[in-house]
Structure formats: C-alpha cells, structure tokens
Amino acid sequence: MRDFVIVGHSAKTTPDFSLEDLPGTSGRMDVLCRCINSAFMLSHGIRRDVRCHLILMGGPEPKILRFDGSRLRHLNPDERSTAALIKRALSIDASPFWRESTPGIYIRKGDLRSLLESLRDDGQRLYYLREDGAQLSGTVSEGAFILGDHTGMRDDEEQLIESMGAETVSISPLSLHADHCIVIINWMCDNAAVRR
Amino acid sequence: MRDFVIVGHSAKTTPDFSLEDLPGTSGRMDVLCRCINSAFMLSHGIRRDVRCHLILMGGPEPKILRFDGSRLRHLNPDERSTAALIKRALSIDASPFWRESTPGIYIRKGDLRSLLESLRDDGQRLYYLREDGAQLSGTVSEGAFILGDHTGMRDDEEQLIESMGAETVSISPLSLHADHCIVIINWMCDNAAVRR
C-alpha cells in the first residue's frame, strides 16, 4: 500500500469557498486538488493501491480527508471537479470516525498526529520529504510519504514527524511542488515494484 | 534548452470557452494547462531553461502557443489562471510569425510539422514519448520531447515524427498522463545535468 499525506495549513474545513476562485477563497485547496490528481491518475484508470490523505488546517478544528483508490469513483483530472468532491465531503457532519461522502472519499475530525499514529499502527513505514534529506532509495515500493504544502512544514510538525520515526528523504536537489513530488514518488515506487 | 511539444487534438483555437467549465467547453484545454504547470513550476520560481509548445488543433486552422521560460511572467500554478493567459493569446490576430501576447507567451499559425522542422533546424534532438519506446537514457539532459494529449497521437502524426528523425522513448511501463510525463522528464533531465 502506498499512502500520501499532505498538510494543507490554510485549507478550509468548511464548504464555503468558490470553485471559480479556488486559490483566493479556499485556503489554497487548488494545491491539494493537484496532489489528488498526481496520486491517482493514470491514462486509463485510477491507481487502486494508493490512498491520499489531506490534513485541512484552515479552520478552528482540523479535518482529514482520505481518498482511497480501491473504492474511488467520480474522480476527474481537473482541479475544479476534485474541489467539488471536497466541497461535498466538507458539507457532511464530521466526527472523530471516518464517514464516506462519495465512493472512496472519507472525512473525519483529526490532525496530523492522529493520522500518523494510525498509519504507524497499520505497520506503514513513514517517509518525510525534505530537500536536504537522504536520497530516497530506488528499492522503496510502498510506505507513507508525508509532504508539506506550498508553505512547507512547521517546526513543531517536523518534531512530531521525527518523533513518529519517519525517515527524512529527498528526491531532488531542487525544491519541487508537492504534486510534482507525488508524481515522481509514484514513478519511483512503480519502478521498484517492477524490479522486485 | 529543454523543449516540450504537446499536441492538443481538440483544443480550441479561439477564445470562446468558459473558464468555469474548461473540460467541457475548451476542447480539453485543461490537459494542456496542466502540462504548462508541469513544464515550468518550481517551488520558488519558474524554470527559465524550458520552453513548452502547445499545438491547438480544434479549429479550422491550427495554431501554436509557445511558452518561453526565459521571459515568462504572470504564470500561476492553477489551471484556471493558465487558461486565462491562453484565452488572451487566442484573442490576438495570429499570423505565420510569432506574436507575443503576454510576457513569454507567443502565438502563431502553424502545425506540428512546421514546429518540428524549426526545432530540428535549431539543432534540437527530438524524442517522441510512447509506452513501447526504448527506455529514455538517464544521461539525457536536454532535447525536444513530443507528447500526445489524452487521445494519444494519430498514425499520420507518428509517421511525421518518425520522418523528422525523432527517437521513440519510454519513461514508464504504465500509461501516464502527459503532464505527469513532463514532471518525470524534467526530473530525469535535472538529474542528468547534475551528474554531467
């Protein structure tokens, strides 16, 4: 199983944003929509062995969205239609337990700590992407990959991630957008899986 | 210099499409907007050594858009704002010669053949991306990379590309979207350039 975790520091936790101006009204949900595209889209289908988690922190109480490729439907590649699916998920009452809003899309209250704990408890190895990390090994074909949004990760978040036992890794000497990182990680994991 | 060439078989050559419904009204200009993002976007800037060419074929007379990273301004990562720049370029009169619509964005009448001839005359080595091609060498750091849109490439286009001396290469055993291919090619070329 391949998991992606993206922290959206300003991303709204309520559905009151405009699909006509995502960057200006949603707390940069457009960044997260592009991450969803990168995580799942293939030319003739969806990656069924991938899950993508968005931590939405632009509200009084953070929420987590989980996209699960094994059940995902109605996903199109454009930002706007993905944002519409997120809007729908944000319109239902969220509790501390997962609720499915549309096939394969789940929402619950929660923060980065609670998500990383559950992934670690599931036995997932954690990788934190940072430019100055050690080069990600070409033999890695699964794991949970943690990425910041356009503002990077805060110090306290980095401490939390480290305390969870995550390995800090890098895939490029350049500073790349999170959605581009996800494309490259998927590609590296595909290649590693083929070689095994 | 790194060039990307994407053929948009249904992409409109006129600005009468809706930014509120790109996939439904523009001949899938959303696909091409994502390619522009992949070609140029870095976390803290724009790739200055990249050019990206979009062949728009969804009109009576094809047009070519050239995005030149060395002069490009006003480019944001979201699809909608890139589509707005394209709309502006399509609103000016196009001739067989390049005209600049906004800094770094040029338009002219022309087709795939005329573009490939000019790239070849500039001394660019041509690479055509296809799943069953030979694996792209990890030593390639520049060249012109030719990609189809969501519908792939037509037989006559493939014959033209071959007649121009392009090498048919592959980067993945999976069928990937053009914008994801561009992310991976940029990454491979970055790595090759560092190793040189």
Side-chain angles (χ1 to χ4, degrees), chain A residues 18-38:
Chain A
S18 165
L19 298 178
E20 273 75 59
D21 181 14
L22 279 180
T25 64
S26 67
R28 295 308 305 274
M29 200 70 84
D30 61 306
V31 174
L32 304 180
C33 292
R34 287 192 291 277
C35 289
I36 294 295
N37 173 312
S38 296

Side-chain angles (χ1 to χ4, degrees), chain B residues 68-196:
Chain B
D68 185 334
S70 69
R71 279 185 50 81
L72 200 51
R73 292 176 63 186
H74 314 308
L75 187 71
N76 287 307
D78 65 299
E79 287 165 21
R80 186 190 163 96
S81 64
T82 302
L85 290 172
I86 291 175
K87 225 181 207 293
R88 182 142 168 199
L90 292 176
S91 69
I92 68 174
D93 275 339
S95 80
F97 305 99
W98 293 115
R99 287 192 59 193
E100 191 171 32
S101 55
T102 49
I105 303 182
Y106 303 82
I107 189 160
R108 72 167 170 87
K109 292 182 181 174
D111 58 9
L112 181 62
R113 175 184 295 276
S114 72
L115 180 67
L116 295 186
E117 282 173 350
S118 71
L119 289 171
R120 194 186 53 178
D121 293 348
D122 285 349
Q124 273 292 55
R125 190 157 173 174
L126 306 182
Y127 298 94
Y128 170 47
L129 272 286
R130 204 174 64 181
E131 280 160 70
D132 61 352
Q135 193 172 318
L136 177 63
S137 161
T139 62
V140 172
S141 63
E142 50 190 35
F145 301 91
I146 308 159
L147 301 102
D149 59 7
H150 59 296
T151 64
M153 209 71 87
R154 296 191 318 233
D155 286 348
D156 61 314
E157 291 165 340
E158 291 205 324
Q159 285 163 16
L160 167 69
I161 292 165
E162 194 183 339
S163 74
M164 293 280 177
E167 193 178 331
T168 301
V169 295
S170 169
I171 53 171
S172 170
L174 298 178
S175 183
L176 303 178
H177 282 203
D179 58 321
H180 294 187
C181 289
I182 293 172
V183 169
I184 294 163
I185 293 168
N186 263 332
W187 180 82
M188 291 180 77
C189 289
D190 290 344
N191 290 343
V194 166
R195 278 197 299 269
R196 273 203 311 196

